[in-house]
Amino acid sequence: MKRIYTFLLAGLSTLGFTQSQDLAKLANGKLKNFTAVYDQKQSVYGYVGIYDYGKTADDKVRFEYVFLDKNLNPVANKEFTGERQVDGYTPYLDFRNKIILTPTMGTFGLAAVMHSSRITYPRTKEIDIQKNSITDKDYFEYDEGVFKLTDYSKTAKAERAEDRSERKSKGYNYRSGVYEIKEGGFLVVEYKDYGNYSNGNNLIRFDENKKEVWRFSYNTNGDKKVKEYFSLLDKDENKIFGILQNVNNKVNTFQLLVLDMKTGKVLHQSKITGLNDTTLDNITRFQTYSYGTIDNSKSFDDKIVLVGRNLTDKSRYAGFARLMVDKNTYKVDAKTITYESLKSFIPKLSDDGGVEKGYFLDPRDIFILKNGSVGVLLEKYKPAGQYSSQKTTDMVYIFTDHNFKPGVKIFDKEKTRFSTTDYLFSQYINDGNDVVFFFRDYVKDNETRKKQWNLFINSVVNNQFKQETIQISSKGDYFMLPYVAKDGYILFQESNEKDKYNQVRLERLNF
């Protein structure tokens, strides 16, 4: 293990003031990943590097974490061991400012856990930055009135056997989830799972001593035809906001439900209108075709905003929907944008989001600003065929005002093959009032006629667009990757495995 010394390097660049570190010199192991972690306001808090030292004598894997603050100052590092099935760790920052390392497993490690009668689930780790310590993170389970620590000695095969035995004896499986909350104590959800349906749902709050404070019951008599679902939208020290969905013989009713966080009493309950059932049924999640699930909600002091798919009754894509909840008046504002209404902005756009030559608009990110205006960034994407690769072309940015009235900005981009996307990342700027997003493009240089990768930095301030371009093509054995950074900056990683060089540096952006 290398001892960390704090230092800063200052210098001029094409962008501005620079701070840097060489990751290859911070630890002796092989760098597995270098990841930004975010605070509760979704601002960059710092970076975590995970280094792999290989297997130990007792068939475990030795790792080291290195934590850098948002200015790239080294703050903490320590070696630790993980189970042999662990391939690496994904970090995030919890509400207590502890770094949580979630283990990741490769194909063989996951298969071993799921099918072996000896190999168990790997443990999540918790880093206390102030103490520079790392421990196994304990999780609680709730079993029909009793809290207990999760038993990590059980294998997946043993758990499945217990499930089958319980279903046979009771006719259902008891399910629960325990969530430690920043408001103090725990929220617990519990229900009875009959396979094709569930019932007996409870949302329960416990204090720090695990003493029940209140419970809210719903779906008490659920069956195959009549059921209720509760989706949490937001919570704070005073209120819990959610959507309560009632299904009665395929007839859906959606209600805004507001509970008192301290007592569990219903403060408000009213029917949500303005969107069809299919759109409301999917409003809390946003799935893309090629890019996975993207974050589609944001909470402010005065409101909650969700952006979802505008769907037809037959679940076909028709555009986008915005659901906005006023936290004080409980007023719900629902509005939609159809692809049909965007045809004057986007050439050859079809009613379901298709564009030219088999491409369609696939979302990449959603931006929700303080005044309730939103942006949806999309990319023209064409899936792979039997004899052809997947392709992407232009980026398309749909932006709205606070009334959800749309405008469109198209960013021309060269065709990229064999890649899901050229989109990189984004960040909110100016205290959440504006946004900047980044994508790359493989373009031909006008002078050399050779192709190179360019980074496009796109700021949207008061719905005014500004774009800057930086060449980021790798040269020889050197590779360059851009990363998200603190407000007003970008981070570049330059590496050369042959020379054991892996530098990260912060550069100020010009907007």
Side-chain angles (χ1 to χ4, degrees), residues 251-403:
V251 177
N252 287 267
T253 303
F254 297 85
Q255 298 180 82
L256 173 67
L257 180 67
V258 185
L259 302 177
D260 189 303
M261 174 61 91
K262 295 180 176 65
T263 66
K265 292 182 179 179
V266 176
L267 297 176
H268 178 82
Q269 191 168 354
S270 63
K271 186 177 180 180
I272 299 173
T273 59
L275 300 176
N276 64 33
D277 290 352
T278 313
T279 299
L280 277 172
D281 192 30
N282 291 274
I283 196 70
T284 58
R285 58 191 179 275
F286 201 112
Q287 183 71 33
T288 70
Y289 181 87
S290 63
Y291 201 64
T293 302
I294 55 179
D295 188 9
N296 68 323
S297 66
K298 194 172 179 64
S299 294
F300 303 91
D301 291 339
D302 61 337
K303 59 181 169 288
I304 305 164
V305 183
L306 295 93
V307 178
R309 299 274 195 183
N310 180 20
L311 299 165
T312 68
D313 292 335
K314 295 183 179 180
S315 297
R316 290 180 63 85
Y317 296 154
F320 303 97
R322 185 193 68 179
L323 190 72
M324 188 158 61
V325 179
D326 189 303
K327 287 185 173 182
N328 299 311
T329 66
Y330 309 134
K331 179 183 177 181
V332 178
D333 180 64
K335 287 184 169 61
T336 60
I337 294 171
T338 63
Y339 284 125
E340 183 179 9
S341 68
L342 299 174
K343 289 182 178 180
S344 61
F345 300 104
I346 306 172
K348 300 181 181 179
L349 180 65
S350 65
D351 291 346
D352 61 356
V355 283
E356 69 279 354
K357 299 179 181 179
Y359 287 82
F360 64 89
L361 299 180
D362 200 22
R364 295 293 179 254
D365 210 342
I366 293 173
F367 313 121
I368 302 173
L369 305 180
K370 268 189 172 181
N371 66 352
S373 63
V374 305
V376 182
L377 183 65
L378 308 103
E379 189 170 19
K380 293 180 181 179
Y381 176 80
K382 186 175 184 178
Q386 185 175 1
Y387 301 107
S388 62
S389 64
Q390 58 185 347
K391 307 174 186 69
T392 65
T393 59
D394 305 338
M395 308 295 297
V396 177
Y397 187 67
I398 300 172
F399 58 95
T400 79
D401 62 12
H402 65 281
N403 289 315

Side-chain angles (χ1 to χ4, degrees), residues 142 145 147 174 177 179 181 186-190 201-206 211-217:
Y142 182 76
F147 278 90
Y174 174 81
Y179 306 92
I181 57 175
F186 304 86
L187 280 180
V188 170
V189 293
E190 66 171 0
N201 295 61
N202 288 297
L203 175 65
I204 316 168
R205 184 177 182 185
F206 293 86
K211 180 180 179 181
E212 183 174 325
V213 179
W214 54 259
R215 70 171 53 207
F216 173 75
S217 300

